[in-house]
């Protein structure tokens, strides 16, 4: 296994261990979103596979109140890690915004649907009432005409 500092320079295992114990050295960035989701970018400083360019940094997104990772990205350089952290934060914020809008829009649609149903029921009852009134008026007119004809006989 090979070990590297933040600049990608190879270091020995003892130096890596000493650096890894330093929280301020290890942590690159941390963001806590409004919903409690945590996004953390850290320096790993070691090469996991044989002959593969080392991924020295890692960004992980954690569900609210959990240490179970939801999303993981690894990077070769500090610049990639910083950019990747901000990109993951933006993606999670976009996803939260879309989820909020979808939920909010769904509740608005339900509210509109309820209003439309009430409006339709009111329109139907008004039409029924108008038809009923029309029927009563027509019946009254018809009865007057009939009774008028009958009274002249």
């Amino acid at each position: 296994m090979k070990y590297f500092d933040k600049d990608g320079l190879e270091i020995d295992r003892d130096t890596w261990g000493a650096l890894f114990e330093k929280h301020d050295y290890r942590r690159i960035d941390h963001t806590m979103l409004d919903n409690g989701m945590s996004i953390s970018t850290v320096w790993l400083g070691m090469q996991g596979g044989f002959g593969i360019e080392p991924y020295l940094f890692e960004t992980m997104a954690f569900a609210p109140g959990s240490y179970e990772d939801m999303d993981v990205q690894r990077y070769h350089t500090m610049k990639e890690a910083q950019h990747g952290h901000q990109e993951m934060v933006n993606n999670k914020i976009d996803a939260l915004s879309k989820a909020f809008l979808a939920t909010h829009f769904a509740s608005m649609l339900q509210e509109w649907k309820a209003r439309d149903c009430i409006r339709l029921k009111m329109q139907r009852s008004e039409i029924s009432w108008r038809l009923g009134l029309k029927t009563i008026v027509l019946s009254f007119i018809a009865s007057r005409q009939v009774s008028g004809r009958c009274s002249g006989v």
Side-chain angles (χ1 to χ4, degrees):
M1 174 128 351
K2 291 184 177 182
Y3 302 93
F4 302 88
D5 66 10
K6 285 183 177 180
D7 297 321
L9 301 174
E10 193 167 342
I11 55 177
D12 62 50
R13 189 174 115 186
D14 291 337
T15 304
W16 174 84
L19 290 173
F20 197 80
E21 288 178 5
K22 295 179 180 179
H23 181 76
D24 291 342
Y25 187 88
R26 193 174 64 235
R27 178 174 271 180
I28 306 304
D29 206 344
H30 181 261
T31 305
M32 183 70 77
L33 301 182
D34 289 342
N35 74 335
M37 182 184 294
S38 175
I39 300 170
S40 176
T41 299
V42 296
W43 164 78
L44 300 173
M46 61 181 132
Q47 181 178 15
F50 179 74
I52 300 171
E53 187 179 353
Y55 288 100
L56 303 180
F57 304 92
E58 177 179 81
T59 298
M60 295 180 89
F62 299 95
S66 169
Y67 287 107
E68 186 175 322
D69 62 281
M70 298 171 49
D71 201 358
V72 179
Q73 293 292 324
R74 292 191 176 94
Y75 314 99
H76 301 290
T77 67
M78 171 78 88
K79 188 175 181 177
E80 287 176 0
Q82 291 167 330
H83 176 76
H85 179 90
Q86 194 56 53
E87 188 175 357
M88 188 177 290
V89 167
N90 292 342
N91 289 342
K92 297 301 180 188
I93 289 172
D94 287 348
L96 287 172
S97 298
K98 288 176 185 173
F100 171 79
L101 289 174
T103 303
H104 187 67
F105 188 66
S107 66
M108 283 175 47
L109 283 176
Q110 287 176 340
E111 189 177 317
W112 291 341
K113 186 177 178 182
R115 284 184 192 165
D116 284 346
C117 286
I118 291 169
R119 193 175 303 125
L120 281 174
K121 286 177 185 175
M122 289 172 64
Q123 287 172 348
R124 285 182 187 148
S125 63
E126 186 177 325
I127 289 168
S128 298
W129 182 80
R130 285 183 183 167
L131 287 174
L133 181 62
K134 197 174 197 179
T135 305
I136 292 168
V137 169
L138 288 174
S139 297
F140 177 74
I141 292 170
S143 68
R144 298 288 286 165
Q145 288 174 349
V146 169
S147 64
R149 272 192 251 152
C150 294
S151 64
V153 173

